Amino acid sequence: MPTDSKRPFAIARFAVALILTSGAASADEIWVELGPAADGAHGYTTLARFAAHSGARCPAIVLDGKSRAMDRRASIGNFSALVCEALVPEGTRTASIRNENLPLPKWGKNDKPNVVVIGDTGCRIKKGGEEGPASADAKWNIQKCNVPADWPFEQVANNAAAAHPDLVIHVGDYLYREKNCDGVKNCPGGPAGDMM
């Protein structure tokens, strides 16, 4: 995914990760995270992260044209994965890892960026209610995900984009329908898959 100063940040799999980017020629993952400032100070901390399926050494990060080592984030036990991080100091204008430019916040600590928060985007198919396992005679609760009035995700996404956000936070549950509802009477079509 290309990144540039016009593209807003987008939340990844966990609370503070921003714009998950993948190198086109590898399975490496590179992203930026915003977290709370140290010691409860006003503002935030910017971290660059790198992850690979295997590896012994962290790559370098280039901050404003100067290369420095990244730190190994944590021991991963018996797994061969490599996870690295580096603090991106406030005021840094450019950052890259393995020639991939990282999206950095363009606002200062006292600025008020335009933020959109989205989550639980739905497409429900569930037998029975929310409480416990469904009985054999329970009715199916099926959201018509191919009908915009019943699953307005496209409208919500368009409204979010029209706000021209500086930061988009997706808190998860992109899609509830892990499997197609084949074999379920009167089930409409729609998207399905493990989207988390």
Side-chain angles (χ1 to χ4, degrees), residues 1-23:
M1 173 188 302
T3 58
D4 57 46
S5 61
K6 295 179 184 174
R7 186 179 285 274
F9 294 97
I11 198 68
R13 293 176 88 117
F14 34 90
V16 293
L18 302 174
I19 283 199
L20 183 62
T21 59
S22 278

Side-chain angles (χ1 to χ4, degrees), residues 2-10 16-21 30-35 44-49 61-66 68 70 86-97 100-109 111 113 165-168:
T3 58
D4 57 46
S5 61
K6 295 179 184 174
R7 186 179 285 274
F9 294 97
V16 293
L18 302 174
I19 283 199
L20 183 62
T21 59
I30 300 169
W31 69 95
V32 174
E33 293 182 12
L34 298 185
Y44 56 88
T45 298
T46 304
L47 288 171
R49 290 259 170 97
I61 184 169
V62 179
L63 303 171
D64 289 336
K66 296 180 181 176
R68 65 174 283 253
M70 295 184 77
L87 179 68
V88 179
E90 184 183 359
T92 300
R93 293 178 179 267
T94 63
S96 64
I97 299 172
E100 187 164 348
N101 293 328
L102 301 177
L104 298 178
K106 303 297 183 195
W107 58 83
K109 287 188 175 184
D111 293 336
D166 299 300
L167 173 66
V168 177

Side-chain angles (χ1 to χ4, degrees), residues 37 42 48 105 124 137 157 169-170 172 180:
H42 179 71
R124 163 90 54 202
D137 59 345
I169 300 175
H170 196 301
N180 275 319

Side-chain angles (χ1 to χ4, degrees), residues 145-190:
C145 304
N146 56 349
V147 177
D150 202 43
W151 188 47
F153 178 57
E154 182 177 8
Q155 179 185 346
V156 170
N158 288 338
N159 289 345
H164 302 289
D166 299 300
L167 173 66
V168 177
I169 300 175
H170 196 301
V171 298
D173 286 337
Y174 292 92
L175 184 63
Y176 297 154
R177 189 180 292 197
E178 291 88 3
K179 298 177 184 175
N180 275 319
C181 54
D182 298 336
V184 178
K185 187 177 179 181
N186 299 323
C187 183

